[in-house]
Each structure stands twice: as structure tokens, then as C-alpha cells.
């Protein structure tokens, strides 16, 4: 909690309550990632003229299903760049940062995360059939809707949610906002939950939009900060990641410190991929893809300033990375070809 007074024109800040010391320490620390060198990368355009693409899931044949946030369309994009609309989610209600968001594939089921009339929800379907909600009641708002979904190595579905602009939700274990959730493919709380019969896997998040695992099965997530720090976090079951008591590294044993922090105007991280033992972080405001070690070290900037806002990065079956731009999301400056899907082959 922060209390502000103005005394003779000087702002006086009094910190009180849980996390105050951690907040004070974090506010005056520098981000761990800054001034990263820009490195060249082999890149080609796979598809053009998309409308705010958001999520991507690869199919067995090497093509991908791609969601568009504002049109609520699911597109099939082949490796050669052919684009076909395969379905529209009529139940989605795009507004602000909400709409048709994450997508995942398991066997012949397609899973989607979307903003509905009264909530954010996860549904599954076979393409061409109506979506069947499997998890509802995730808070919605004009911003902080989370939205990334992905199957983990354990076969369970992981769901990144946001606090829906009410930070108190993040510390409330009974609320699905500001969490990473873990459920079975049918939407039930998965076995081994740290909080009993609950889908909550971790809490204390502000807005999670990136989920990925390394070759050893360790989980990582990206998170939007507020005023000071964006984060890359190592995710461990039952841990509390601090929001709103801590932003960035707090040095408080009650809260998990991030692996890496970024200035909010330098990153605004959405999607996340892990390939070759390194993390690739898609940056919206930062207009780049950060590449860094899983311990946060050796950061590099790819595509810096070349393609505008970057929403997502995903590891493709052929060893490349597919990158989604987000210049038609209401905050970018779209060019005639936007939005685009890029195929990125990082340097060694």
C-alpha cells in the first residue's frame, strides 16, 4: 500500500502494509535487461494482411491455426503462406484488449480462450463445431485479460489470466484473475494442484500472456508490469509472484523473484517461446524479440524496430520461430502489409 502527501510542493511517500519494503527496493533498482545488443537474424514474411493476430498453435502437418483478436476468426496458415478462414467464434465479444485470444491443439480438439459477454473463458471444439466451454468465470475488462493457453509436458492445459484491472484479484485464491491455472483437457482442476480442488497453479500475477517450457520441463511465463518492470518468471506450483505487493524483484521470501526484468517502455512482453535453451520474448511497446538465457543472462534484441509491435513468438516444427506482429490492434502504426506472420531463423 502507498500513501501520498504533498508538503510544500514536495511529494512525500509513506509505505505501509505487506510488501512495502519490497516495493521500495524494487522501485529504485534498474531492470536486469537493458541496452541489449541488436543482432541480425534471417527473417521472411509468411503471411500478410492479418487483423491483430494473437494466438498460434501448430498442427501435425506443419501448418498453424492463428486467432485474430478483433475479428474473432481462426485462420489456417500453411508453411508456404496460404491463409484460409476455418471458423469464427460468434460467442466472442472483442473490446479493448479482449476478444479471441489464445489457442491450443490436442489430438483432434482445438482449445480457445476468448472474451464472452460476461467473462473470459476457455472452450474446446472440433473445427466447424460450436465451442464447448470447459472453464468459465475468468474476470474480463477492457484490459488485463491474460489469454495465453498451452499444453504442458504433463498433458495438462495451462492458462494465463490477468487481474482485469482490479489488482486485489491477484492475491485472492478464490478468484481466477491474476493467476496461472492448470486444468485437465476436460477443464477440471488437474491432479496435484497445490491448493486442493482448485485450478490455481500460481498466484500474484498482473497479466500473463506468455507460457513456455524448456527441454527439462521447467515452466516460464512473461508478465506485464505496471509502471516500472515487466517480467520473465520461472513458474513453480503454489508460488506467489507478488502482484500487487511487488513489481519486479522484491527480495521478499514470500514472493518469487523474476528471472529477468525489463523496463515497461522497452518490452511490454506478450508471447514467449523457448528454443535451443534460450527464451524468446515478444515485445509490444519495445517492438522487438528479446533473446536471453533462461537464467536471464546474455540478452540480445532481434528484429528491433523493423516490424513494429510483436505480439507472439512460437517454435515451429521445422526449427524456425513464427512471429506475429500486432500493428492493427489500435496501438500500432500499421503499414500496408500489416499484420504479418514472420518466419525467423535466429543466429547461432
Amino acid at each position: 500500500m502507498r500513501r501520498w502527501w504533498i508538503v510544500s510542493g514536495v511529494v512525500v511517500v509513506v509505505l505501509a502494509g505487506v510488501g512495502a519494503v519490497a516495493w521500495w527496493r524494487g522501485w529504485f533498482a534498474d531492470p536486469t535487461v537493458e541496452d541489449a545488443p541488436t543482432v541480425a537474424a534471417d527473417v521472411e514474411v509468411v503471411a500478410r494482411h492479418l487483423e491483430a493476430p494473437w494466438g498460434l498453435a501448430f498442427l501435425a502437418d506443419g501448418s498453424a491455426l492463428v486467432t485474430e483478436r478483433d475479428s474473432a476468426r481462426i485462420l489456417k496458415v500453411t508453411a508456404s503462406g496460404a491463409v484460409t478462414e476455418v471458423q469464427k467464434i460468434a460467442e466472442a465479444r472483442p473490446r479493448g484488449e479482449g476478444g479471441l485470444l489464445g489457442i491450443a491443439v490436442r489430438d483432434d480438439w482445438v482449445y480457445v480462450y476468448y472474451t464472452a459477454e460476461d467473462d473470459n473463458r476457455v472452450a474446446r471444439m472440433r473445427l466447424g463445431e460450436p465451442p464447448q466451454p470447459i472453464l468459465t468465470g475468468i474476470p474480463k475488462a477492457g484490459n488485463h485479460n491474460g489469454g495465453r493457453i498451452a499444453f504442458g509436458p504433463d498433458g495438462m492445459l495451462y492458462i494465463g489470466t490477468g487481474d482485469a484491472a482490479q489488482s486485489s484479484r491477484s492475491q485472492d485464491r478464490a478468484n481466477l484473475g491474476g493467476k496461472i491455472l492448470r486444468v485437465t483437457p476436460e477443464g477440471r482442476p488437474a491432479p496435484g494442484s497445490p491448493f486442493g480442488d482448485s485450478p490455481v497453479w500460481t498466484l500474484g500475477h498482473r497479466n500473463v500472456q506468455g507460457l513456455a517450457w524448456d527441454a527439462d520441463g521447467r515452466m516460464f511465463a512473461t508478465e506485464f508490469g505496471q509502471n516500472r518492470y515487466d517480467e520473465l518468471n520461472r513458474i513453480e506450483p503454489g508460488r506467489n509472484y507478488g502482484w500487487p505487493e511487488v513489481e519486479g524483484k522484491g527480495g521478499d521470501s514470500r514472493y518469487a523473484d523474476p528471472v529477468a526484468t525489463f523496463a515497461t517502455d522497452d518490452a511490454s512482453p506478450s508471447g514467449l517461446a523457448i528454443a535451443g535453451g534460450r527464451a524468446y520474448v515478444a515485445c509490444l511497446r519495445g517492438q522487438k524479440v528479446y533473446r536471453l538465457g533462461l537464467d536471464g543472462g546474455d540478452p540480445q534484441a532481434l528484429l528491433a524496430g523493423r516490424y513494429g509491435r510483436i505480439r507472439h513468438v512460437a517454435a515451429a516444427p521445422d526449427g524456425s520461430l513464427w512471429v506475429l506482429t500486432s500493428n492493427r490492434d489500435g496501438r500500432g502504426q500499421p503499414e500496408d502489409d500489416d499484420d504479418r506472420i514472420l518466419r525467423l531463423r535466429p543466429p547461432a
Side-chain angles (χ1 to χ4, degrees), residues 58-69:
F58 284 101
L59 301 174
D61 63 2
S63 63
L65 297 179
V66 177
T67 60
E68 290 184 327
R69 186 190 71 185

Side-chain angles (χ1 to χ4, degrees), residues 78-158:
T78 68
S80 63
V83 179
T84 306
E85 179 182 333
V86 294
Q87 190 159 347
K88 187 169 184 177
I89 305 301
E91 295 84 352
R93 297 291 183 268
R95 185 179 71 85
E97 295 177 4
L100 179 57
L101 304 176
I103 188 167
V105 175
R106 179 181 170 88
D107 300 325
D108 58 347
W109 289 100
V110 175
Y111 293 75
V112 288
Y113 183 118
Y114 61 92
T115 310
E117 189 69 36
D118 299 315
D119 60 1
N120 285 302
R121 53 183 53 193
V122 177
R124 70 174 184 170
M125 63 197 176
R126 294 181 172 89
L127 286 177
E129 298 179 359
Q132 307 169 16
I134 61 169
L135 184 66
T136 61
I138 302 169
K140 63 171 278 189
N143 57 6
H144 303 186
N145 288 290
R148 197 69 61 191
I149 59 176
F151 278 96
D154 59 0
M156 299 296 113
L157 182 65
Y158 291 79

